[in-house]
Amino acid sequence: MSLNSHHEGPHAKLIYMANQIAKFMESKPPTEGLELMASHINDFWEPRMRRHLFEVIDAGGAGLRPLVMEAAGKIKRPELAS
């Protein structure tokens, strides 16, 4: 199965990665999973990756698991690229 089998486009790999993290965090108690989801992205994703994630979120979050969308308010939104 390719990474793009369910989601096509420039953000397919990023959506896949975010969903893999969310899938793992969903095994935690809800509040803990939410905090860990946001913390992981804040700690390990570079600003460019977070910027692309917010492009998907701002466009409605198509393809993202609900936990990714719930965590969006706790994820550091990077400044726009100039």
Side-chain angles (χ1 to χ4, degrees):
M1 178 172 108
S2 80
L3 292 180
N4 294 335
S5 63
H6 290 52
H7 308 289
E8 297 298 327
H11 300 310
K13 186 173 181 181
L14 185 119
I15 291 169
Y16 176 83
M17 291 169 51
N19 284 341
Q20 288 297 103
I21 298 165
K23 190 173 181 179
F24 175 76
M25 297 306 175
E26 289 165 1
S27 68
K28 308 283 185 193
T31 302
E32 181 182 2
L34 182 67
E35 293 296 328
L36 289 171
M37 176 81 203
S39 290
H40 181 87
I41 291 176
N42 286 330
D43 292 345
F44 298 107
W45 286 29
E46 63 182 31
R48 180 183 52 86
M49 291 173 69
R50 286 185 280 119
R51 191 175 305 111
H52 292 310
L53 177 62
F54 277 105
E55 288 174 7
V56 175
I57 290 168
D58 293 344
L64 292 173
R65 295 178 76 89
L67 184 59
V68 181
M69 296 299 289
E70 290 173 42
K74 297 179 178 289
I75 296 171
K76 296 174 190 167
R77 185 182 287 263
E79 295 181 21
L80 294 175
S82 39

